[in-house]
Amino acid sequence: MRLFKPAWLKFKMASPSASADEIMDANKCQLEKTAPEICIEYIKNLDDQSILADIAQQDRDADLRKAAVEKLDNPSVLADIAQQDRDADVRKAAVEHLDDQAILAHIAKNDSDAAVSHTAVKNLKDQSILAEIAKNDSDIHGDIREAATENLTDQSVLIELARYDRYWPVRAATIKNLADPSIIAEIARQDSEMYVRKTAVTKLTNQSILIEIIQHDSEWFVCEAAVKKLTGKPRLADAVKKLTNQTVLTVLAKNANNSDIREAAVKKLTNQSILADIAINDNWDGVREAAVSKLTDQSVLAYIVTNDKHVNVRSMAVRNLTDQELILDFAQHHSNDFVRRTAVKKLTDQELLADFAINDSNGWVRFSASEKLFDPELRQSVFNDLVQSENNGYIRIAAAAKLADKTVGWNILSNLAWNHSDGLLRIKAAETLKDPDIHKEVLIDVAKNDRDYMRRSKAVEKLTDQTVLEDIARNDISNYAAKKAMAKLRDPAILEDIAQTHSRTDRRFAANQILIGKDETSS
């Protein structure tokens, strides 16, 4: 750190009305301590070019020289500093103010500091000098050639660099000023570096070439850029919505890194063989399920029902089956009860449905079969039996809601809503009753008293009563459930009070986090 400054600085600060002669005389005085930042601020307010030149050329402190250079407008002084100053930052500051092409060329080729050379090149306009630097500079990293390329307009030089420069950022930089669409297309197709190809893609306008690149480029990074360029949409999700071209959609559906993009593309595909390939081979169940939902080939669907690892995909395949023999086989023999239930829903033979409704070992299969029975007496008989004998409370709720005798159904649902040990099942029963008062009371009871904090949290998510939510926010033993309640509080004063006064650190922290989130949302 510099501790001494010329006395003229102190003099000037003390006497802002001093003449230039007085200031120059003061400069001859002895050096005294002055804070560097004060000196720099003083220089920023100086307008006298002779004083600025004196500081820029003679001061021992590089920061002060640089501050003076930034105020100078004398080309010869700036040129001298740009070539002679011992500090690279000072030279760079001087170069930024130079226009002399010969001096800039000399600095670009000869300065020992890459940043100074780079700045000189950026200020060059002479095409012959730029071409020489772009083609011949010895900078091993290519940064100087890249900077020269950015200002080049000579198409023959640009094409040569775009095709043959060994440094890919130089090749990429040429694309900005390339004018020939065929050369840009050539680079987009053939360059060995994906970033260069992607840069070229952003300048393409020919849709057939963009589609070709989407179809054949091995790098998804390049394909994605081509899709965005093709549709004019900067977000890939928006681009997919605009697409109708099946070739492009196929590439997206098969190759996109993001499963949501693949799924969106699949939903717009029509080719059955491509959909079958995706339905069998994609590694994400949501994408496979989307493909299966559009399949009609019964043999492919049967293969998926038998072999897919995810139950939702298998069930979706069953939904698209039309072959009743296949459907019956899966209803009877599939290893997964959810798939069997889906298959039963597809059956039409009343005798078969009655057999499933009466005799199947799985309650959900029996319930689904009963829903499809034409015989109201048999249907009610099965529902009554399920209500009385089924251990699964959710099946009992579904069956009770289907009972013709509404009083019996209401009593069963009410009993489940108030007395079952599973809070979520109680909420489901209360919802099925369609009585808002009972529903609210059950929600409050589960939210405050259920033994499981996750079930309490689920109940909290459905609550709106601010008094109850405040009670849970302050008193629930689980910070998770309390945080769910706090997130639904509308009065920030309550949150602020919890954040400041609650006895538990984790509760105070949670309240603070929610307050911060609310502030960010409102802003």
Side-chain angles (χ1 to χ4, degrees), residues 23 46 78 93 99 105 172 194 200 206 272 314 342 368 391 401 430 443 450 467 514:
I23 295 169
L46 261 179
L78 285 166
D99 290 318
M194 66 176 179
N206 187 303
Q272 287 289 303
R314 299 198 297 270
T342 306
S368 296
N391 290 325
L443 275 177
D450 197 279
T467 303
I514 292 169

Side-chain angles (χ1 to χ4, degrees), residues 430-479:
E431 287 173 346
T432 308
L433 280 169
K434 297 186 175 7
D435 184 317
D437 292 331
I438 293 176
H439 186 211
K440 179 181 177 180
E441 288 184 51
V442 170
L443 275 177
I444 293 171
D445 188 40
V446 173
K448 296 179 75 170
N449 300 314
D450 197 279
R451 289 176 298 176
D452 185 273
Y453 79 95
M454 288 300 294
R455 292 200 291 256
R456 295 200 304 277
S457 300
K458 288 290 183 183
V460 165
E461 289 174 359
K462 294 174 179 284
L463 278 175
T464 57
D465 188 302
Q466 295 293 295
T467 303
V468 176
L469 287 168
E470 180 184 354
D471 181 27
I472 294 167
R474 291 183 184 277
N475 300 313
D476 197 285
I477 191 171
S478 163
N479 200 52

Side-chain angles (χ1 to χ4, degrees), residues 149-164 170-188 191 196 199-204:
T149 301
E150 289 176 359
N151 289 336
L152 262 177
T153 57
D154 186 314
Q155 293 298 301
S156 62
V157 178
L158 286 168
I159 291 169
E160 181 184 348
L161 292 168
R163 283 173 167 164
Y164 304 119
V170 175
R171 300 199 302 277
T174 64
I175 293 165
K176 176 180 120 179
N177 295 329
L178 276 174
D180 189 333
S182 65
I183 300 298
I184 296 170
E186 174 193 320
I187 304 302
D191 197 277
V196 179
T199 305
V201 160
T202 62
K203 283 202 71 175
L204 287 174

